[in-house]
Amino acid sequence: MSYSDFEDPIRNTKKINEKKIVSKLAKIAQANDPISNELYTKYDVKRGLRNANGTGVLVGLTSVGDVVGYKVENDKKIAIPGKLLYRGYDVADLIADAEKHNQFGYEQCAYLLLFGKLPTQDELDEFNELLGSLRNLPPNFTEDMIMKAPSADIMNKLARGVLASYSYDDDPEDRSLSNVLRQCIQLISRFSTLAAYGYQAKRRYYDYKSMYIHNPLPELSTAENFLRLIRNNKAFTDDEAKLLDLALVLHAEHGGGNNSSLTVHVVTSADTDTYSAIGAAVGSLKGRRHGGANIQVMEMMDDIKENVKDWTSETEIREYLRKIVNKEAYNRTGLIYGLGHAVYTINDPRASILRDKAAKLAREKGLEDEYNLYKIIERIGPEVLYEKHGDGKRICANVDLYSGFIYSMLNIPRELFTPLFAVSRIAGWSAHRVEEIVAGGRIYRPAYKNILAEREYIPIEKR
């Protein structure tokens, strides 16, 4: 029997217009799934897991982190100054201590989140040594899992790298605490390498630029290694690395209620492996309503800088912001990106810290005019939103308003902004996975109300 006796499935496949068929199916799906707002009200559905007063629906308990922006009295939210707590410690104190001792703070932050205590110097040194020893990817991983299947979006590449790590783990299914900790510490160490190498592959195969694959150095911090790996000359200053380190500390954790941390809890509760849980979190963080928001800010700022001729004119800036809010300019969503937060009301403490750092760096880079434009938008943007919506809710700048600006001044490519968020947040995700394993024990199973009555089946010849 010869090969010609078999049908060639590719040669004999009937050509179809896939785009046309899928477009038709999409119209059917869209027409079939509308649900009116009245039904959500009728059944008291907590859309977005939010209560009617704007607070989050309580679905769990955590001791990993806390986001403080309001207090509730008589079922009403009362705005208070924002705080971000890691294991009960104010993140501002962690940053101040690192600056006082001229140390990198992210590794200490990761230790605190994982183990619930501040490390001694000896414990921190041992932890840093462990992280440093794990930064290299497994043999052939870079070639087989990154270079052979590059991605235009580095977050997708990062998620694939996390899932592929399962295949390089000698004991990927062991759910014991010690093994999960081993896996999490490896991922904390390697996320910067995965993101940097994904970026280099993207440069080569999508941007048609040179690709530089440098080895991470065990003695360097997460921030230092990341800058080393993304730059062709491997060069960076201590000030650059310390500023990036500060940003990593600020993004490492944000309570259990944010979308990606909740994803870790939900997927972990199903009793699956570490790589599946963390890979799902990466997918969540990629979303433009979550970690992808800092890129939205930068794209909005590009548009504002192009259309506002006088960056010092509050009148001109205000008028253009009104156009954005009225869906007449930029992307017609009516949103001013970088303003507003689900919890913070008076201030986002992360934005406050980054604003001060951005001011110093902008002076050094000769970008004070651009920095002042951000400051004006932060100040008058809430007023423009109030004019439009008039709901009385206090709006403040969130961390995304200044984080992208700082990254751009550090010459970090824009496509790495959200992956950098993941490089930091893997510490918080790991802590939440451990917490769910230790203290959870029940699979998440919320309810959905079916609103379609049972129907009698129609045989195909009668349809």
Side-chain angles (χ1 to χ4, degrees):
M1 184 177 291
S2 67
Y3 175 79
S4 60
D5 293 326
F6 294 94
E7 288 190 6
D8 184 337
I10 297 178
R11 186 179 62 200
N12 289 288
T13 298
K14 180 181 178 182
K15 289 185 178 180
I16 62 173
N17 190 330
E18 178 185 4
K19 185 176 181 180
K20 181 178 179 181
I21 294 174
V22 172
S23 178
K24 182 177 70 173
L25 292 174
K27 291 177 181 177
I28 296 173
Q30 185 173 13
N32 192 50
D33 277 338
I35 298 176
S36 68
N37 289 330
E38 290 76 14
L39 288 177
Y40 286 101
T41 302
K42 175 181 177 181
Y43 294 111
D44 191 26
V45 176
K46 312 295 186 183
R47 300 187 73 178
L49 292 180
R50 311 298 297 177
N51 293 310
N53 64 359
T55 60
V57 173
L58 188 62
V59 298
L61 302 174
T62 185
S63 63
V64 176
D66 194 15
V67 182
V68 180
Y70 61 82
K71 59 182 179 180
V72 178
E73 292 183 359
N74 298 321
D75 202 36
K76 290 185 177 181
K77 289 172 63 175
I78 300 174
I80 60 175
K83 276 190 177 184
L84 175 59
L85 306 177
Y86 293 171
R87 295 290 190 178
Y89 295 102
D90 193 325
V91 70
D93 293 333
L94 296 175
I95 290 172
D97 184 67
E99 291 179 340
K100 177 182 177 181
H101 294 92
N102 195 30
Q103 291 181 327
F104 290 93
Y106 177 70
E107 287 72 25
Q108 176 175 231
C109 175
Y111 185 101
L112 171 63
L113 291 172
L114 279 175
F115 307 112
K117 63 183 287 290
L118 292 168
T120 65
Q121 189 62 56
D122 287 343
E123 290 171 333
L124 181 58
D125 290 343
E126 183 180 56
F127 188 62
N128 284 337
E129 186 176 359
L130 177 60
L131 290 175
S133 70
L134 297 171
R135 295 202 193 279
N136 280 303
L137 303 182
N140 302 318
F141 189 104
T142 303
E143 295 83 352
D144 293 342
M145 296 299 168
I146 298 178
M147 300 305 166
K148 288 184 179 178
S151 173
D153 190 291
I154 299 164
M155 287 297 284
N156 286 78
K157 184 78 268 179
L158 184 57
R160 185 175 188 266
V162 172
L163 294 174
S165 297
Y166 181 101
S167 301
Y168 292 78
D169 189 330
D170 292 334
D171 202 0
E173 289 288 345
D174 182 359
R175 314 285 206 280
S176 68
L177 181 57
S178 61
N179 195 59
V180 168
L181 274 172
R182 173 189 65 81
Q183 293 168 332
C184 288
I185 291 170
Q186 282 186 349
L187 289 174
I188 291 170
S189 176
R190 291 174 179 167
F191 252 49
S192 56
T193 310
L194 287 168
Y197 286 1
Y199 163 69
Q200 294 292 353
K202 189 259 183 185
R203 275 177 55 91
R204 167 66 179 84
Y205 293 102
Y206 288 89
D207 301 336
Y208 306 106
K209 297 178 180 179
S210 297
M211 176 175 65
Y212 302 91
I213 301 297
H214 309 307
N215 291 326
L217 298 180
E219 66 270 20
L220 298 183
S221 68
T222 300
E224 291 173 303
N225 264 308
F226 184 79
L227 292 174
R228 169 186 166 83
L229 295 182
I230 66 171
R231 295 181 174 174
N232 58 356
N233 61 2
K234 301 178 281 189
F236 58 88
T237 67
D238 185 66
D239 284 346
E240 287 179 317
K242 291 285 174 54
L243 182 53
L244 178 58
D245 175 76
L246 180 147
L248 294 178
V249 171
L250 289 175
H251 286 90
E253 162 61 5
H254 212 239
N258 69 81
N259 195 279
S260 57
S261 294
L262 176 63
T263 297
V264 171
H265 278 280
V266 172
V267 178
T268 297
S269 78
D271 193 24
T272 191
D273 66 278
T274 296
Y275 305 105
S276 294
I278 301 301
V282 174
S284 164
L285 192 72
K286 180 193 173 185
R288 289 179 293 182
R289 293 177 180 171
H290 193 6
N294 52 18
I295 295 178
Q296 296 277 51
V297 171
M298 296 304 292
E299 291 176 350
M300 179 191 73
M301 292 303 298
D302 289 343
D303 180 79
I304 291 173
K305 287 184 288 184
E306 182 178 343
N307 289 281
V308 174
K309 304 305 179 185
D310 184 357
W311 294 0
T312 65
S313 171
E314 292 192 13
T315 300
E316 189 177 352
I317 295 169
R318 186 184 298 272
E319 285 306 310
Y320 195 72
L321 290 179
R322 282 175 178 151
K323 289 182 179 180
I324 291 177
V325 169
N326 289 326
K327 302 181 182 181
E328 299 169 357
Y330 184 44
N331 63 1
R332 272 67 176 177
T333 62
L335 301 174
I336 300 178
Y337 295 99
L339 298 183
H341 193 271
V343 178
Y344 299 125
T345 47
I346 294 177
N347 72 297
D348 179 338
R350 304 168 301 171
S352 302
I353 292 171
L354 288 181
R355 183 199 308 116
D356 294 340
K357 297 298 181 181
K360 179 176 182 294
L361 188 58
R363 286 194 297 270
E364 295 172 358
K365 298 280 187 178
L367 296 172
E368 290 178 280
D369 288 346
E370 188 169 347
Y371 170 74
N372 289 330
L373 176 60
Y374 277 85
K375 288 267 292 180
I376 293 172
I377 291 171
E378 177 185 4
R379 181 162 49 82
I380 69 177
E383 298 173 6
V384 174
L385 288 167
Y386 180 77
E387 289 174 7
K388 176 67 176 179
H389 303 294
D391 57 8
K393 178 183 177 182
R394 297 189 65 159
I395 298 291
C396 64
N398 61 48
V399 69
D400 296 312
L401 184 64
Y402 289 100
S403 62
F405 182 42
I406 285 178
Y407 294 154
S408 66
M409 289 192 288
L410 290 175
N411 296 316
I412 294 173
R414 193 169 291 185
E415 58 262 48
L416 278 169
F417 289 4
T418 308
L420 255 179
F421 199 156
V423 168
S424 171
R425 187 56 62 85
I426 177 59
W429 291 337
S430 297
H432 283 288
R433 173 160 173 79
V434 169
E435 184 175 65
E436 184 63 37
I437 289 173
V438 172
R442 296 187 66 179
I443 188 171
Y444 277 71
R445 179 58 173 88
Y448 264 70
K449 174 69 177 178
N450 175 51
I451 60 169
L452 186 63
E454 186 174 353
R455 297 184 288 181
E456 184 177 348
Y457 184 77
I458 305 171
I460 193 166
E461 65 272 11
K462 294 183 178 181
R463 296 173 201 165

